[in-house]
Amino acid sequence: MSSRPDDGHSRERILAAATRLFAERGYDATSTRAIGEAVGLNIATVAYHVGAKPELYRAVMRRAHLAQREAVTAALHRLDACGPSPRETRGALLDFVDSYLTFCLDHPEVPALWMRRWLAEGTELTEIETEFAGPLVAEVAAAVRTVLDRAGLGAGADIELLVFTIVWTAHSFGQAGVIDATGRRLGPHDLPTLDRFRRHLHAVVTGVLDREP
């Protein structure tokens, strides 16, 4: 294997390979050696560019978070700009949901990385939730609550759990799809199944908004 610390593309190649392997196998089952082998570099070269395994994992999760945050922030800006009527607000909130679902389907490695953490992968790296996941969920919940209050909607809704519900279902559907009566797994590439899931998710969101306090 080659060891060329002056290779300007090595860091990006390492991060791309690490993202794929951490998403596929999880933190605990992915070694620095395996990441190096995936890009044709030895362990010393991997460490030169990205540090030890915990630093590499933090870099991967930071990139995933920044991509997620960029998509969510843009969707929140569009939600905040909607008209104040209940009809306009409902439509804008469903557009927000669709935007997040589209992000998950376009970047399947991001939901996969987070779902691995849900399975207690890399539990010693608690700063991932403290720095990334927790603040973003709180920001989204506060922004959605503000827009709903403006329209007089969802007075009795637990918005934080609604946000988590959107995340849980979008991530899970994107990764696993659904299983039909014959045992076939139908995922987001099956357009009727995707449309069915989208309509169901919309119904869940609007059902929460319509629930009595």
Side-chain angles (χ1 to χ4, degrees):
M1 289 188 294
S2 170
S3 176
R4 297 184 298 166
D6 60 339
D7 182 353
H9 301 291
S10 291
R11 178 177 170 82
E12 288 302 315
R13 291 168 56 217
I14 293 167
L15 287 173
T19 298
R20 176 176 59 81
L21 291 175
F22 283 139
E24 290 176 357
R25 305 177 184 178
Y27 177 80
D28 297 335
T30 302
S31 67
T32 306
R33 183 179 299 278
I35 294 168
E37 290 176 349
V39 291
L41 298 172
N42 60 36
I43 294 177
T45 304
V46 171
Y48 173 89
H49 286 289
V50 295
K53 179 177 168 180
E55 286 69 41
L56 175 53
Y57 183 69
R58 289 188 190 97
V60 166
M61 294 305 298
R62 184 177 296 108
R63 281 160 62 101
H65 167 73
L66 291 175
Q68 186 179 33
R69 183 178 184 81
E70 181 179 7
V72 168
T73 299
L76 284 179
H77 284 325
R78 293 192 295 273
L79 175 62
D80 183 64
C82 76
S85 72
R87 181 185 62 81
E88 292 170 306
T89 301
R90 287 175 185 274
L93 183 58
L94 294 181
D95 286 342
F96 173 82
V97 171
D98 287 344
S99 295
Y100 188 70
L101 176 59
T102 297
F103 170 80
C104 291
L105 301 183
D106 288 345
H107 303 274
E109 72 283 359
V110 176
L113 287 166
W114 284 114
M115 290 176 74
R116 286 289 181 180
R117 290 199 63 78
W118 297 350
L119 296 173
E121 294 278 358
T123 53
E124 68 273 20
L125 300 168
T126 56
E127 69 272 19
I128 301 298
E129 279 71 29
T130 302
E131 296 179 16
F132 302 152
L136 185 57
V137 169
E139 179 181 340
V140 172
V144 171
R145 178 80 274 168
T146 296
V147 172
L148 293 179
D149 286 347
R150 186 175 66 195
L153 291 173
D158 188 326
I159 300 303
E160 184 180 55
L161 276 183
L162 178 60
V163 172
F164 274 116
T165 298
I166 294 167
V167 171
W168 293 330
T169 53
H171 286 204
S172 299
F173 175 75
Q175 294 298 302
V178 299
I179 298 175
D180 70 8
T182 69
R184 288 188 308 157
R185 187 178 298 278
L186 301 174
H189 296 298
D190 182 79
L191 295 183
T193 301
L194 175 58
D195 182 63
R196 176 187 171 198
F197 172 76
R198 193 188 306 274
R199 286 186 281 108
H200 174 72
L201 187 54
H202 285 191
V204 170
V205 172
T206 56
V208 169
L209 298 186
D210 293 340
R211 189 171 57 196
E212 292 294 328

